[in-house]
Amino acid sequence: MLLDLSEEHKEHLAFLPKVDGAVVAEFGRIAVEFLRRGSNPKIYEGAARKLSVSSDTVQHGVEGLIYLLTESSKLMISELDFQDSVFVLGFPEELNKLLLQLYLDNRKEIRAILSELAPDLPSYHSLEWRLDVQLASRSLRQQIKPSVTVKLHLSQNGGLSTHVLQADPATLLHLAQQLEQASEEAKTNHCRRVVRSIK
């Protein structure tokens, strides 16, 4: 599986071939430190002074490297796939090897950090449903009143919780449409940018 890097990330990573290999290794250390403890603007400013560039350039370079390492670690891509993903960037062979070594050295630690950062949310376990239709009552002889009952089982921290929901088919259809719309919206570039900035 290859990484799909946006043009913005390619621009951020384009700074790496302009600096020495030791600087890229230091950027890798800063990237892992960033994941552990959060951002430190002083580090960017100090590195920018040494390299005679703006602190934004250094920050974008480190953030591009963070994205490359975290996405690779998250997907647990193989060495070959990582090399192919980086090869697309057109970097020199030495830099490609250095980035691969950074990935191999830090992927377990990055995965551990990411798993600690992930919120412990309930996850889907199973679903039961039933369709009930009331055809008549004492006051109304001919009526059709359908309702859908859903029993949702969620797992969290090794335990199961059950939620019973009941709705008429029109409400259920509207809910399904809203979920589909939200799913489509999550695929937009704007939403991806927001998610990346949260991570």
Side-chain angles (χ1 to χ4, degrees):
M1 166 185 268
L2 296 178
L3 285 178
D4 184 27
L5 297 172
S6 68
E7 289 303 317
E8 183 183 10
H9 283 107
K10 289 178 183 176
E11 285 174 25
H12 290 176
L13 291 169
F15 175 68
L16 297 180
K18 298 173 186 172
V19 295
D20 189 53
V23 174
V24 175
E26 181 65 16
F27 278 10
R29 188 193 64 74
I30 292 170
V32 175
E33 197 66 28
F34 176 93
L35 289 172
R36 275 194 216 119
R37 295 194 176 93
S39 178
N40 187 351
K42 291 180 183 176
I43 293 176
Y44 298 138
E45 291 167 10
R49 276 194 300 272
K50 288 178 186 173
L51 298 171
S52 301
V53 295
S54 70
S55 62
D56 284 344
T57 305
V58 173
Q59 183 176 353
H60 290 318
V62 171
E63 287 173 355
L65 199 52
I66 289 170
Y67 179 77
L68 180 69
L69 294 173
T70 54
E71 287 302 305
S72 303
S73 300
K74 213 185 297 182
L75 300 170
M76 282 300 285
I77 63 175
S78 66
E79 289 181 39
L80 186 61
D81 286 343
F82 184 85
Q83 287 174 322
D84 290 343
S85 298
V86 174
F87 181 76
V88 173
L89 299 171
F91 291 165
E93 189 64 30
E94 274 184 38
L95 182 56
N96 289 347
K97 287 180 182 176
L98 182 62
L99 290 174
L100 175 64
Q101 197 58 48
L102 270 172
Y103 167 61
L104 294 176
D105 291 346
N106 295 302
R107 68 178 167 188
K108 287 182 183 174
E109 184 179 0
I110 291 171
R111 281 185 67 81
I113 292 168
L114 291 175
S115 68
E116 289 172 11
L117 294 175
D120 187 25
L121 299 173
S123 60
Y124 171 83
H125 180 70
S126 63
L127 177 84
E128 300 173 46
W129 63 275
R130 183 179 76 219
L131 175 65
D132 294 319
V133 180
Q134 184 177 348
L135 298 174
S137 67
R138 287 184 182 174
S139 57
L140 289 170
R141 299 239 172 179
Q142 291 183 337
Q143 70 172 7
I144 297 177
K145 189 177 175 186
S147 68
V148 178
T149 305
V150 176
K151 195 173 188 182
L152 181 63
H153 301 279
L154 302 174
S155 61
Q156 184 176 21
N157 298 330
L160 284 177
S161 62
T162 303
H163 303 277
V164 178
L165 312 163
Q166 190 169 29
D168 60 289
T171 303
L172 205 58
L173 183 62
H174 177 70
L175 179 64
Q177 289 170 344
Q178 291 298 309
L179 289 172
E180 285 175 14
Q181 184 180 351
S183 177
E184 288 301 315
E185 194 170 315
K187 296 175 186 174
T188 63
N189 289 335
H190 174 70
C191 189
R192 286 181 183 165
R193 270 189 245 115
V194 170
V195 170
R196 277 195 301 267
S197 68
I198 291 171
K199 290 178 185 175

